[in-house]
Amino acid sequence: MKKVKIYVTLKESILDPQGSAVQGSLQKIGYNEVSDVRIGKYLEVTISDTDRDVDTIVKEMCEKVLTNTVIEKYRYEIEEA
Amino acid sequence: MKKVKIYVTLKESILDPQGSAVQGSLQKIGYNEVSDVRIGKYLEVTISDTDRDVDTIVKEMCEKVLTNTVIEKYRYEIEEA
């Protein structure tokens, strides 16, 4: 069994209005040192034992379903669980 | 300047309907080995140089604003940027 941690973030060139809103709110309540906030997704996927290559499965799932590769990038870590 | 990576996840005991939906969809399109999906948030916060202790600031922001500590837990990493 493997536990995969997937981090999905917007590409650098893509505006992040959600992040900007959070940054604005943080500054408004006194956290003036916060100069940037970007918000992404974090997924923990458990994959049971399989004959297929886990790395291939994860890459495929990310490209096809879990991320929008036009505006998002992703990285992942595979851990033994 | 510091870059803080914050990972927010639902506590183990809290149901994650969003994750269950994603898991269901993945299984439906052939990824039968996916046995669990939990979805959280991932934040990248840039903090400019300050006299205040960055660790304290981050903890405070997480507890007060960025997470709901009743149902969510968080962890973070502070990096030099």
Side-chain angles (χ1 to χ4, degrees):
Chain A
M1 211 161 79
K2 303 262 195 281
K3 194 168 189 178
V4 186
K5 296 177 174 177
I6 305 172
Y7 310 91
V8 184
T9 47
L10 286 170
K11 288 184 181 168
E12 299 302 328
S13 54
I14 307 291
L15 282 178
D16 180 3
Q18 193 189 1
S20 303
V22 171
Q23 187 209 348
S25 300
L26 285 171
Q27 288 201 334
K28 217 171 280 172
I29 59 168
Y31 297 104
N32 301 308
E33 49 276 277
V34 174
S35 60
D36 191 35
V37 177
R38 310 255 320 158
I39 298 183
K41 275 178 294 184
Y42 170 63
L43 292 95
E44 282 179 358
V45 178
T46 310
I47 296 182
S48 49
D49 293 325
T50 169
D51 292 339
R52 296 206 278 169
D53 180 43
V54 173
D55 201 76
T56 312
I57 294 177
V58 174
K59 216 171 266 173
E60 220 181 78
M61 287 194 315
C62 284
E63 301 274 342
K64 283 212 292 200
V65 191
L66 302 177
T67 73
N68 174 354
T69 51
V70 178
I71 57 166
E72 292 172 328
K73 58 190 166 81
Y74 66 91
R75 62 191 167 83
Y76 58 87
E77 294 157 13
I78 299 174
E79 287 170 12
E80 209 59 55
Chain B
M1 210 161 79
K2 303 262 195 281
K3 195 169 189 179
V4 186
K5 296 176 173 177
I6 305 172
Y7 311 90
V8 183
T9 46
L10 285 170
K11 288 183 181 169
E12 299 303 328
S13 54
I14 308 290
L15 282 178
D16 180 3
Q18 192 189 1
S20 303
V22 171
Q23 187 209 348
S25 301
L26 285 171
Q27 288 200 334
K28 216 171 279 174
I29 60 168
Y31 297 105
N32 301 308
E33 49 276 278
V34 175
S35 60
D36 191 34
V37 177
R38 309 254 323 157
I39 297 183
K41 277 178 292 184
Y42 169 62
L43 292 94
E44 283 180 358
V45 179
T46 310
I47 296 182
S48 50
D49 292 326
T50 169
D51 292 339
R52 298 205 277 168
D53 181 44
V54 174
D55 201 77
T56 313
I57 294 177
V58 174
K59 217 171 266 175
E60 220 180 79
M61 288 194 313
C62 284
E63 301 274 342
K64 284 212 291 200
V65 191
L66 302 176
T67 73
N68 174 354
T69 52
V70 178
I71 56 166
E72 292 172 329
K73 59 190 165 85
Y74 65 91
R75 63 190 166 83
Y76 59 87
E77 294 158 12
I78 300 174
E79 288 171 11
E80 210 59 54

